[in-house]
Amino acid sequence: MFLLLKYMSLGVLVLQTTSLVLTMRYSRTLKEDGPRYLASSAVVSAEMLKIFACTLLVFMENNLNVRAVNQLLREEIVNKPVETMKLAIPAGIYTLQNNLLYVALSNLDAATYQVTYQLKILTTALFSVSMLGRRLGFYQWLSLLLLMAGVTLVQWPTESEGDSEQKILSAGSQFVGLMAVLMACVSSGFAGVYFEKILKETKQSVWVRNIQLGLFGFMFGFVGMIMFDGQSVRQSGMFQGYNIIACTVVVLQALGGLVIAVVIKYADNILKGFATSLSIIVSTLISYFLLEDFNPTG
């Protein structure tokens, strides 16, 4: 049963990652008449949806007993402030990371983003070794070196025809996207290992931990939205530019948070990273044939 849950969660994660990357990229490059939806608003909406979903799952775990759930949440969240505050660190980092992913996918094609973002496997491995005392074998270190080589090749400059000004703009846009991905890789590695450490040191329900994480994520995300997009929110509202595609991105991002928590609980962060890498092939093919924003070189 444990192995079944382990590999099922990894499979769902691959599908969710592929769908999220392609949908997010499409939504950030789609030309529309009205204003584009705010990335900060999408992050906040995803956290709200995640809290709602986890609360529902906690109710199902407790046979829809309202009194039992109320007592459980009060005991774990209100009566254990120190334990709850521990989740503020990964929540803040995850919120930053989610915002960075929107910046990255606004400036990079899906395939380049996917390959570069796999550097999070390297950062996760380094944090796992330093924080959890995990040991990696020879082939694991070798695969990490191959990963770094792949990321380097993807970012290697290529000669292409076109207007020089357009080249400069494209280079500047790619640099912004690359910096956003690299920052997301470091934050993802640390937050993932920190959250794994918390989950495996306690026997508490993974859904309760996700509610705690979501509450902090919502607060940090909301403050960030007011600080950076406050004027746009006041003028056109928090849900400006939302359509079916934007709503799909929000749902997929919320689902990702839930699936990752299950994967961390039943597998580990490094395995999660390698499972996610499988979606690169699918993302590359769809990016080339459907989105037509990626032309692979030698």
Side-chain angles (χ1 to χ4, degrees), residues 24-296:
M24 193 186 288
R25 170 64 181 172
Y26 180 70
S27 72
R28 299 311 284 173
T29 55
L30 186 66
K31 292 179 180 178
E32 295 179 288
D33 296 331
R36 183 181 291 171
Y37 74 94
L38 301 171
S40 57
S41 165
V43 171
V44 172
S45 300
E47 291 299 336
M48 289 166 60
L49 188 59
K50 191 167 73 173
I51 293 168
F52 175 77
C54 288
T55 305
L56 195 62
L57 287 163
V58 170
F59 269 101
M60 289 172 67
E61 275 187 344
N62 290 272
N63 301 315
L64 304 178
N65 188 324
V66 178
R67 184 177 293 179
V69 171
N70 183 45
Q71 186 178 347
L72 174 68
L73 294 179
R74 185 180 297 174
E75 185 180 329
E76 291 300 324
I77 298 173
V78 181
N79 296 345
K80 294 181 180 177
V82 176
E83 291 296 313
T84 301
M85 286 303 294
K86 285 181 181 178
L87 274 298
I89 297 170
I93 296 172
Y94 276 135
T95 305
L96 171 66
Q97 175 197 328
N98 288 334
N99 280 286
L100 286 170
L101 297 188
Y102 281 97
V103 175
L105 278 164
S106 297
N107 294 282
L108 295 173
D109 61 79
T112 303
Y113 160 83
Q114 275 281 62
V115 177
T116 310
Y117 192 41
Q118 298 319 303
L119 271 180
K120 66 182 179 180
I121 302 175
L122 175 63
T123 60
T124 300
L126 294 174
F127 283 120
S128 293
V129 170
S130 60
M131 292 172 64
L132 300 178
R134 187 166 287 143
R135 284 187 162 188
L136 301 182
F138 171 76
Y139 289 111
Q140 288 174 309
W141 283 115
L142 183 62
S143 64
L144 290 171
L145 287 174
L146 287 171
L147 169 69
M148 289 180 67
V151 172
T152 305
L153 286 172
V154 164
Q155 296 299 334
W156 199 268
T158 55
E159 290 297 323
S160 59
E161 296 178 4
D163 183 53
S164 58
E165 187 180 345
Q166 185 63 35
K167 282 184 183 179
I168 293 167
L169 286 171
S170 177
S173 179
Q174 278 208 321
F175 179 76
V176 171
L178 177 60
M179 287 299 103
V181 174
L182 292 178
M183 288 173 68
C185 286
V186 175
S187 60
S188 173
F190 177 77
V193 172
Y194 186 93
F195 191 41
E196 180 182 350
K197 188 177 173 69
I198 291 172
L199 280 179
K200 291 186 174 177
E201 282 179 353
T202 176
K203 292 182 180 178
Q204 188 47 263
S205 163
V206 68
W207 309 125
V208 173
R209 288 289 179 234
N210 256 290
I211 291 172
Q212 293 171 308
L213 201 66
L215 287 170
F216 283 114
F218 171 76
M219 287 190 289
F220 289 135
F222 189 80
V223 170
M225 182 178 69
I226 297 302
M227 283 176 64
F228 296 105
D229 296 312
Q231 189 174 352
S232 296
V233 171
R234 284 189 291 272
Q235 285 178 350
S236 307
M238 177 179 166
F239 300 106
Q240 59 181 285
Y242 271 59
N243 53 24
I244 296 296
I245 301 296
C247 291
T248 304
V249 171
V250 169
V251 171
L252 285 170
Q253 195 166 31
L255 176 66
L258 303 180
V259 175
I260 285 169
V262 175
V263 169
I264 291 172
K265 182 75 173 177
Y266 293 105
D268 62 59
N269 266 288
I270 299 174
L271 194 58
K272 177 197 82 176
F274 279 106
T276 310
S277 302
L278 293 175
S279 66
I280 291 177
I281 298 167
V282 183
S283 296
T284 303
L285 292 173
I286 295 175
S287 189
Y288 178 67
F289 288 109
L290 296 181
L291 298 183
E292 297 180 351
D293 63 352
F294 177 65
N295 294 308

